[in-house]
Amino acid sequence: MATERTFSIIKPDATKRNLTGKINALIEDAGLRIVAQKRIQMTREQAETFYGVHKERPFFGELIDSIISGPVVVQVLEGEGAIAKYRAVMGATNPASADPGTIRKEFAVSIGENSVHGSDAPETAAIEIPQFFSGNEIVG
């Protein structure tokens, strides 16, 4: 399996509860390295661009309102099979059906407040990472 990079967001529901360190510990315990990280307040424009794939879905407005409701921590994670590994560490979108020990099982409030986002494919990561990081911000 090749070393790859994936994109992560620690969402407002988690940053408001000061869970960044605990979530980072789970990420690192899974063997992933955090090679870039910053805390930002996502603008509506950034959020609408980022979640543009969901624009026609009925939950789009609620999704945007949620992600801009407070600070987020955007990250680039690196490791062997990073995308699949981080998806496993995140757990199912619905925390009620997420496996014990995953981020969403441990910290998510609901499907809508599920604490984290992660890229779902190499092509997605290649689009998401440059939306928030320039090449010189990634140390790895």
Side-chain angles (χ1 to χ4, degrees):
M1 194 170 273
T3 297
E4 62 186 5
R5 289 183 173 162
T6 191
F7 181 71
S8 167
I9 300 174
I10 301 175
K11 296 179 179 180
D13 68 277
T15 63
K16 288 175 187 172
R17 292 179 289 141
N18 295 319
L19 296 173
T20 302
K22 290 179 180 178
I23 291 171
N24 282 349
L26 289 175
I27 290 168
E28 291 177 332
D29 288 348
L32 295 168
R33 291 185 326 123
I34 300 166
V35 295
Q37 175 175 269
K38 59 186 170 185
R39 185 179 182 97
I40 64 167
Q41 177 67 51
M42 199 179 295
T43 66
R44 182 169 293 280
E45 182 179 344
Q46 284 176 312
E48 288 176 352
T49 298
F50 185 78
Y51 285 116
V53 66
H54 298 300
K55 191 170 184 96
E56 302 304 319
R57 302 252 175 112
F59 59 81
F60 182 72
E62 184 179 328
L63 178 64
I64 299 305
D65 289 344
S66 175
I67 201 73
I68 66 171
S69 69
V72 298
V73 175
V74 291
Q75 304 172 309
V76 179
L77 310 178
E78 184 178 82
E80 293 292 318
I83 294 168
K85 191 175 284 186
Y86 187 49
R87 305 274 314 157
V89 171
M90 287 191 309
T93 302
N94 182 348
S97 55
D99 290 336
T102 62
I103 294 168
R104 290 177 173 152
K105 186 64 165 189
E106 301 302 318
F107 305 120
V109 175
S110 65
I111 292 174
E113 292 183 318
N114 61 20
S115 300
V116 290
H117 163 86
S119 302
D120 59 4
E123 300 79 15
T124 309
I127 294 167
E128 292 176 342
I129 292 169
Q131 288 183 31
F132 296 96
F133 293 96
S134 64
N136 64 351
E137 293 178 291
I138 301 171
V139 179

